[in-house]
Amino acid sequence: MPRLSLPGVDLWYEDTGGPGTPVVLLHAASGTTECWIHQLPAFTAAGYRCIAYDRRTWGRSRPTDSGPQPGFAGDDLHALLDALGLDLVHLAGTAAGAIPALDYTLSHPERVISLVAANTIGGVQEADYLALQHGLRPSRIQDLPVELRELGPSYRGKNPEGAARWLEIDRSSRPYGPIPTQPLRDPITYRRLAGIQVPVMVLSGEADLLSPPALMRLLSDHIPASRFVSLPDAGHAGFWERPHVWNGLVLEFLAQHS
């Protein structure tokens, strides 16, 4: 698959091609493009052109000395869209990948058809939001092994092979060591969220320990054009744990706004 040379990174991406409306998928901190194996075939079969990429220093996206680090996540996404000649796209991000997707929607609404923000804390910097986030997600949860804090118990129990593959992707996702957080150009605030006019689906998992439904509902409440959906019996990786249901919800949403 190709790489795009940008300041500070050779960005690895996958593009299914074709004439369909483009959907850009942004992975979690615990994954890479490999985690979208359940989505790429389904979305392509539904007629969409799918683009997924390893975010800077994840997976096969190699950091370089050609520019400052860590750069802005929105800039990497913007450069990728420009390089591919994509003027309008759907964005679908999960967990930490949904934060740059939301940031990009705020910064470049003219380029975004719709946004799916799944299983994410959203990056909101408001006192009451942060207080709820910290109350729902104390340090004891953060200290759990990654598979316990991110995969729902039903999935771990019923599909140990799938859980093992998910963990394998996570363990191979950071070949360059600790990942510096890419900052947002502007803080995400309630005032900015209230200005979003593109359609947004906020997709939660009812068994999510890291971004529980109560937190995601608060995120959705501050986005006027949003739709809140909660996925039963799914943890923080709903796209992986219940892909057929997750795909169905997202594809239905995309079809309404394509």
Side-chain angles (χ1 to χ4, degrees):
M1 292 296 170
R3 284 187 171 89
L4 175 65
S5 293
L6 301 176
V9 65
D10 287 335
L11 201 71
W12 189 96
Y13 66 94
E14 183 170 346
D15 181 1
T16 63
T21 305
V23 180
V24 181
L25 301 167
L26 292 92
H27 65 78
S30 53
T32 65
T33 296
E34 290 187 58
C35 73
W36 297 116
I37 56 172
H38 303 301
Q39 281 68 49
L40 292 174
F43 283 48
T44 303
Y48 292 97
R49 175 182 175 181
C50 293
I51 297 97
Y53 67 100
D54 288 352
R55 296 190 293 116
R56 183 179 295 222
T57 70
W58 269 271
R60 286 158 284 191
S61 286
R62 300 184 298 237
T64 69
D65 59 5
S66 62
Q69 299 290 359
F72 294 97
D75 289 353
D76 291 346
L77 175 56
H78 194 64
L80 177 61
L81 299 188
D82 282 350
L84 296 176
L86 302 178
D87 295 326
L88 282 169
V89 299
H90 296 285
L91 295 179
T94 187
I99 297 176
L102 179 57
D103 178 53
Y104 191 82
T105 301
L106 288 164
S107 302
H108 299 280
E110 75 284 354
R111 303 289 291 270
V112 179
I113 304 169
S114 74
L115 167 67
V116 175
N119 299 91
T120 185
I121 60 175
V124 177
Q125 300 299 305
E126 296 280 0
D128 65 326
Y129 190 91
L130 293 172
L132 178 61
Q133 175 185 324
H134 296 150
L136 291 170
R137 191 175 70 175
S139 59
R140 293 187 300 278
I141 290 177
Q142 281 295 120
D143 292 340
L144 289 171
V146 63
E147 67 274 19
L148 297 185
R149 68 175 185 261
E150 296 207 15
L151 294 176
S154 295
Y155 181 77
R156 295 196 314 273
K158 293 178 180 178
N159 194 336
E161 295 84 4
R165 177 57 183 145
W166 180 92
L167 185 58
E168 181 182 25
I169 293 172
D170 170 66
R171 287 176 173 168
S172 64
S173 66
R174 295 174 291 275
Y176 304 103
I179 298 172
T181 300
Q182 288 187 292
L184 306 179
R185 284 198 173 274
D186 297 294
I188 297 178
T189 63
Y190 289 157
R191 181 186 61 79
R192 296 186 71 209
L193 293 176
I196 294 178
Q197 297 184 16
V198 305
V200 178
M201 181 163 74
V202 176
L203 180 53
S204 177
E206 292 184 4
D208 190 347
L209 296 177
L210 295 183
S211 49
L215 184 68
M216 296 203 64
R217 191 178 293 277
L218 181 58
L219 172 66
S220 180
D221 286 346
H222 286 276
I223 304 174
S226 73
R227 169 190 173 193
F228 177 82
V229 181
S230 187
L231 188 61
D233 205 26
H236 193 58
F239 71 96
W240 181 275
E241 299 172 46
R242 304 199 64 193
H244 298 300
V245 180
W246 196 96
N247 293 350
L249 290 169
V250 174
L251 287 171
E252 178 186 16
F253 175 75
L254 297 183
Q256 293 171 352
H257 304 290
S258 292

